[in-house]
Amino acid sequence: MNIKVHTMQKLLSLSVILVLLIGISLYSGYSSGQAEISYRTDIKPISERFPNLTGIEKVYWSGSTIGGDFGPTNYVLRGYVFLSQAAAAALKQDYVWENELIIPKLQYDFKGRLQHWSSSDDFDAYIKSSSYTGHFYFDQKQNVLYFDVER
């Protein structure tokens, strides 16, 4: 009889541990998913990460980490930078832009206006440090940059 009680206690303990592990796993998946959904509009973090980027009037961006709970992690930054007329004019003049067909992963309501994205390898090299991978794209008609980078 003691063996049955002892076995039942072990099974109950294992069940509780399994439920806790599943709960923790689901919670960490939920919390990391929530981080990707939060959007920010503060300019300072973007201007600090990309100090050569000038003429910022408004930003809309999101940042999230990549990787597990242990060890080094990278982070992804995606967003839009709305530029002043002067800053946009300088970009148009200083860089050669090539048309790109992209669908930004971070959505923004442009109120029905279509975006015409273009890219410049020279601008990418100038605007982001070598610790970042990814690209900046420029809509020359709306004076908006879209970025999708990882560090």
Side-chain angles (χ1 to χ4, degrees):
M1 187 105 159
N2 281 341
I3 293 174
K4 284 185 179 182
V5 171
H6 185 67
T7 302
M8 290 300 285
Q9 286 176 337
K10 279 186 178 180
L11 284 174
L12 184 60
S13 295
L14 288 174
S15 297
V16 168
I17 291 171
L18 182 62
V19 167
L20 285 172
L21 288 174
I22 291 171
I24 290 169
S25 175
L26 290 174
Y27 176 76
S28 63
Y30 173 76
S31 64
S32 65
Q34 289 296 92
E36 291 179 331
I37 297 174
S38 64
Y39 304 111
R40 297 177 60 174
T41 57
D42 46 333
I43 294 173
K44 187 176 179 181
I46 299 304
S47 63
E48 287 176 346
R49 286 177 175 91
F50 308 108
N52 291 337
L53 190 55
T54 59
I56 299 173
E57 290 188 341
K58 177 172 90 168
V59 296
Y60 179 81
W61 63 281
S62 175
S64 61
T65 58
I66 300 173
D69 294 332
F70 303 103
T73 59
N74 288 357
Y75 62 89
V76 172
L77 295 173
R78 292 183 179 114
Y80 298 90
V81 177
F82 298 82
L83 299 171
S84 67
Q85 289 288 341
L91 292 183
K92 292 173 192 176
Q93 181 180 352
D94 294 346
Y95 298 95
V96 175
W97 296 93
E98 296 186 25
N99 291 333
E100 292 281 348
L101 291 174
I102 66 161
I103 299 174
K105 292 180 182 175
L106 181 68
Q107 297 300 308
Y108 183 81
D109 184 7
F110 283 95
K111 301 187 186 339
R113 292 174 285 168
L114 294 177
Q115 290 72 59
H116 302 280
W117 299 113
S118 55
S119 66
S120 168
D121 290 337
D122 290 337
F123 178 72
D124 273 352
Y126 172 73
I127 210 64
K128 61 185 179 63
S129 70
S130 62
S131 63
Y132 285 95
T133 60
H135 298 284
F136 276 75
Y137 302 94
F138 185 32
D139 180 341
Q140 297 181 46
K141 292 182 180 183
Q142 297 184 60
N143 299 335
V144 176
L145 290 168
Y146 171 72
F147 60 91
D148 189 341
V149 296
E150 179 179 332
R151 181 174 184 184

